[in-house]
Amino acid sequence: MKQRWIDYAALITGSLIFAIGINYFAIPNMLSEGGVIGLSIIAHYVFNWSTAVASLVLNLVLILVGYKFLDKKAFIYTLITTVFMSLFLQLTVNWGVQFSNDTFLAALFAGVFVGGGLGIIFRVGGTSGGTTILARLMSQLLGWSVGKSILMIDIAVILLSVYVIGKEKAMYTLVAVYVGAIVIDKIVDGADDRKAVMIISNHQEVIRQELLTTMGRGVTILNGRGGYTLEKKDILYLIINQSELVHLRRILQHIDEEAYVTVNNVQEIFKRGFKQEVAEKHYSSRR
């Protein structure tokens, strides 16, 4: 329960940072964004609609349409993020003045704040709402990967913004989105997002089942023997992302606090299709 409240605090904090990036760097400099927030900003420029209300309505509609693609935790976290993002987008509209008239600086800082906010949200297992769900719907209907679908959505929204903010501002928007993606990477995955984990435990079967069901990760079972007792013991070996280490620690603390665990950086993995799968999963968490 304590961890759940920490996660809620992170979702709220990330939503506030995200809103500051939109209201004090993107919108004052006529920049846009990708995804649902990008559509909301375009609607604000064209019809003078509230960005907060537009994003709330669009996200809630997409969440209701595609809720079946989210598990219970992801659904709750996404709902919390959607509500607080819209709330802070509304509350921060008149907090202060434009920080910079330099469009390039504004694009950089929009990327830092938007990416920082989303990175915090993704770090605890949340999403930014509708874009991810829409991408999963497209994946079902068109057979595209989720990563490719999100990329296509972002590109389509930014191309659409060209007719509203012009080509130059759209290019600055691409700078902001790119910087945001880098910041998200640093927060969510750290310097190296792939880790090799070996687990030795007296409860390895329970741990194995938990890894398969809650983390969705494949596990390799290695045969080992104690160097002193020569007792046979299975060793669990798996590859995970940096962000999944938090989840793994919680599993081990719950099942076996005395488990012997080693974690090593993975420089390269040679397996057909692996890099593509990792890249798609990694990109799909961004929106």
Side-chain angles (χ1 to χ4, degrees):
M1 183 59 68
K2 179 181 178 181
Q3 184 59 50
R4 184 65 59 87
W5 284 106
I6 292 174
D7 289 351
Y8 290 161
L11 294 174
I12 294 171
T13 301
S15 299
L16 174 59
I17 295 172
F18 173 90
I20 291 173
I22 296 298
N23 278 336
Y24 292 108
F25 294 102
I27 291 179
N29 290 277
M30 283 293 291
L31 300 177
S32 185
E33 258 289 336
V36 170
I37 187 62
L39 291 175
S40 303
I41 293 174
I42 292 172
H44 170 72
Y45 292 150
V46 176
F47 304 109
N48 199 30
W49 291 352
S50 165
T51 308
V53 174
S55 65
L56 179 64
V57 171
L58 286 172
N59 275 318
L60 288 179
V61 169
L62 289 171
I63 289 172
L64 290 175
V65 170
Y67 73 93
K68 64 181 180 179
F69 293 105
L70 301 172
D71 57 35
K72 182 179 179 181
K73 177 184 174 182
F75 177 78
I76 293 173
Y77 280 23
T78 299
L79 200 58
I80 291 172
T81 301
T82 296
V83 171
F84 276 96
M85 272 187 176
S86 298
L87 176 64
F88 287 132
L89 281 170
Q90 184 63 39
L91 292 177
T92 58
V93 169
N94 298 312
W95 271 16
V97 296
Q98 179 179 350
F99 282 116
S100 175
N101 292 315
D102 186 310
T103 307
F104 183 68
L105 279 177
L108 291 178
F109 278 91
V112 169
F113 275 82
V114 170
L118 291 177
I120 293 171
I121 291 167
F122 299 154
R123 179 83 183 187
V124 298
T127 74
S128 59
T131 307
T132 302
I133 295 173
L134 183 58
R136 291 180 179 178
L137 286 171
M138 290 174 62
S139 177
Q140 290 285 323
L141 296 174
L142 302 176
W144 295 353
S145 67
V146 174
K148 180 180 178 181
S149 300
I150 290 176
L151 179 61
M152 292 298 102
I153 293 169
D154 282 350
I155 290 175
V157 172
I158 294 174
L159 287 176
L160 178 63
S161 71
V162 171
Y163 297 97
V164 179
I165 62 178
K167 291 183 288 185
E168 185 174 305
K169 296 287 187 177
M171 287 189 286
Y172 280 120
T173 296
L174 286 173
V175 172
V177 171
Y178 179 74
V179 171
I182 293 175
V183 174
I184 291 172
D185 286 347
K186 295 300 181 183
I187 294 175
V188 176
D189 295 329
D192 189 343
D193 64 327
R194 288 171 293 179
K195 305 290 181 182
V197 181
M198 297 185 71
I199 304 170
I200 302 174
S201 169
N202 291 324
H203 305 279
Q204 59 87 17
E205 179 58 26
V206 180
I207 294 173
R208 184 184 70 84
Q209 289 290 344
E210 192 71 12
L211 294 175
L212 292 173
T213 56
T214 66
M215 291 185 65
R217 282 294 186 182
V219 182
T220 299
I221 301 177
L222 306 177
N223 296 322
R225 287 198 301 170
Y228 180 73
T229 63
L230 298 181
E231 178 184 356
K232 293 184 179 180
K233 184 167 292 188
D234 289 337
I235 302 170
L236 302 180
Y237 176 83
L238 68 156
I239 304 293
I240 62 175
N241 293 327
Q242 173 73 32
S243 59
E244 293 174 311
L245 277 177
V246 178
H247 193 174
L248 178 61
R249 289 193 187 101
R250 293 177 187 172
I251 291 174
L252 295 176
Q253 288 171 359
H254 177 69
I255 298 175
D256 184 7
E257 292 184 344
E258 297 182 356
Y260 184 82
V261 183
T262 62
V263 181
N264 298 288
N265 291 331
V266 176
Q267 298 299 322
E268 193 68 81
I269 296 177
F270 294 96
K271 179 179 181 297
R272 184 175 181 180
F274 183 86
K275 288 184 179 179
Q276 182 180 355
E277 292 167 8
V278 170
E280 290 173 355
K281 180 179 179 181
H282 182 65
Y283 191 85
S284 69
S285 70
R286 292 180 179 173
R287 292 279 184 233

